[in-house]
Amino acid sequence: MRVGILTGGGDCPGLNAMIRAAVRRGAIVHDYEFLGILKGWLGLIHGDAVPLGLADVEEILPEGGTILGSSRTNPFGKNALEEVPACEKNFSELGLDTLLAVGGDDTLGVARKFSDRGLPMVGAPKTIDNDLSGTDYTFGFWTAIERVMASIDNLRTTARSHERIFIVEAMGRHAGWIAGYGGLAGGADYILTPEESFSLDEILWSLRRRWEAGYHYAVVVVAEGAEWEGREVFQEDLPKDEFGHVYLGGIGFELSKAIGKALAPEFGRRAGDLTRHVVLSHLQRGGTPCAFDRILGTRFGAAAVDLIAAKKFGYMVALVGSSIVPVEITDAVSVTKKVDRDFLDLAQNFYY
Ligand code: F6P
């Protein structure tokens, strides 16, 4: 049995742990051979692959990123007429019996389409965004939370010293998992997520109350995809990736300016002195995985290979409660998993 593995979409900590576990489980328990497809679906379009043996994965557990490289390539995009047949031809020329696609909704969405066309695919969910349905957590998420929490802890001390308001922009286009969980873990004083639109007035109101209570500093966390009522964003002016997602960014800066403008005179501060913003950006995604992500990546890697052995094609591995279970890839990619109401209510408990 020859198994291809590819990693697509934004990289995340835990991918190498997953690759290592898949190769070891496959080679030792099932006697499978592995080919690493390079740079996600781009590698399948071009037939770029390398053999993956036990020695190749021996030392990669603590490394961030992915030894296979990644890209946001969509073979079903505007060049589908050439790229879909190219993938199918390379699948057969590389001698693959099956392919393990490791990714978020875009990469797994492509796997589902190939699966519908008859290629034997299995999947494993990864993304720091944790917005994939069917699984309680994706690996990469808890490392990102640790990074957001540590950043808030650091920013709070300088915020307190200078009596400032820090706006921390976290990743998360469609769901506020990173902003919400990172914010709660770091004790953020206000959290803004894509789940609920927000107005500037509600934040100003809360910050005024905090000042009145005697706490003359604050950390506000905003997800990059949070919806600010009345903010004009011209989506058509923004660059897009092959899956049609716009490149976000900038909401933290705008919010910092707006809060500074409204509150600096009221708080007796010079314009430009009261607020600062920090875009955490890819610091949330890079570097070594935390223990939870190493273990989840390892469990997913081994379980995905067991799915292949069980011939459960069209399925991906998922974490439900504390068990690893198979779920249909279709179910995982059809709905974005949002942060639930109870969690958002809990976060509000800590606002003024
Ligand atoms: O998909 C994960 C993610 O980190 C998103 O949260 C973020 O919007 C996006 O990737 C950034 O993508 P890129 O690395 O292509 O700039």
Side-chain angles (χ1 to χ4, degrees):
M1 184 80 140
R2 182 177 280 183
V3 180
I5 307 185
L6 66 77
T7 53
D11 70 339
C12 75
L15 280 167
N16 287 328
M18 213 241 44
I19 295 167
R20 168 178 173 265
V23 171
R24 282 195 73 90
R25 176 72 132 229
I28 294 169
V29 176
H30 302 289
D31 202 21
Y32 293 166
E33 229 177 69
F34 287 86
L35 271 190
I37 312 294
L38 303 177
K39 299 187 194 165
W41 295 112
L42 190 66
L44 196 60
I45 292 171
H46 296 304
D48 282 344
V50 291
L52 267 187
L54 290 175
D56 300 304
V57 300
E58 180 62 29
E59 293 172 311
I60 65 174
L61 172 68
E63 276 180 37
T66 160
I67 57 164
L68 299 177
S70 192
S71 69
R72 295 191 186 279
T73 306
N74 180 9
F76 289 89
K78 60 181 189 318
N79 299 320
L81 281 180
E82 296 95 64
E83 294 181 350
V84 169
C87 287
E88 290 172 340
K89 180 171 121 323
N90 287 325
F91 188 95
S92 121
E93 284 183 3
L94 291 168
L96 297 179
D97 295 298
T98 179
L99 180 64
L100 164 55
V102 189
D105 51 353
D106 295 330
T107 302
L108 293 174
V110 171
R112 192 207 62 202
K113 287 181 182 156
F114 278 126
S115 179
D116 290 346
R117 291 171 63 90
L119 290 190
M121 297 272 157
V122 295
K126 65 87 228 182
T127 166
I128 64 164
D129 295 343
N130 197 41
D131 58 357
L132 211 69
S133 293
T135 185
D136 291 351
Y137 295 113
T138 50
F139 61 84
F141 171 63
W142 283 102
T143 306
I145 297 313
E146 297 279 342
R147 302 273 152 76
V148 176
M149 179 187 76
S151 304
I152 297 173
D153 287 349
N154 289 347
L155 292 171
R156 187 175 293 283
T157 63
T158 173
R160 193 190 290 126
S161 304
H162 288 264
E163 299 199 338
R164 276 184 169 143
I165 299 162
F166 272 85
I167 314 300
V168 181
E169 184 179 313
M171 280 183 169
R173 287 171 171 149
H174 310 295
W177 291 97
I178 302 177
Y181 276 62
L184 192 78
D189 303 300
Y190 216 87
I191 301 172
L192 302 160
T193 65
E195 278 76 2
E196 291 182 313
S197 63
F198 70 89
S199 70
L200 182 61
D201 280 348
E202 70 183 76
I203 306 165
L204 297 179
W205 185 83
S206 176
L207 290 169
R208 285 187 187 109
R209 302 242 316 174
R210 190 169 157 80
W211 249 248
E212 278 162 21
Y215 302 104
H216 293 179
Y217 62 94
V219 179
V220 174
V221 179
V222 58
E224 61 183 349
E227 200 188 318
W228 180 351
E229 290 159 18
R231 177 189 183 221
E232 287 190 58
V233 181
F234 298 102
Q235 298 271 334
E236 62 275 17
D237 297 344
L238 298 172
K240 293 193 179 67
D241 68 20
E242 286 194 22
F243 290 91
H245 305 299
V246 292
Y247 289 106
L248 295 170
I251 194 169
F253 173 58
E254 287 174 39
L255 202 52
S256 161
K257 276 197 306 185
I259 294 173
K261 193 167 162 211
L263 293 181
E266 247 178 76
F267 289 5
R269 297 285 287 265
R270 278 182 290 123
D273 191 40
L274 179 66
T275 57
R276 289 289 180 268
H277 81 285
V278 175
V279 183
L280 295 178
S281 187
H282 295 74
L283 290 171
Q284 294 159 99
R285 236 167 65 183
T288 190
C290 69
F292 185 91
D293 287 336
R294 292 182 193 200
I295 291 170
L296 187 60
T298 299
R299 294 180 77 194
F300 276 175
V305 168
D306 292 346
L307 273 190
I308 293 170
K311 300 211 178 332
K312 265 190 114 51
F313 300 119
Y315 281 76
M316 70 166 205
V317 288
L319 178 72
V320 176
S322 56
S323 306
I324 308 291
V325 299
V327 301
E328 284 195 51
I329 296 178
T330 307
D331 295 339
V333 297
S334 38
V335 187
T336 302
K337 184 180 68 189
K338 301 273 191 177
V339 180
D340 51 86
R341 185 68 268 157
D342 287 353
F343 187 89
L344 296 172
D345 287 346
L346 172 63
Q348 282 182 13
N349 240 308
F350 302 94
Y351 308 166
Y352 273 87

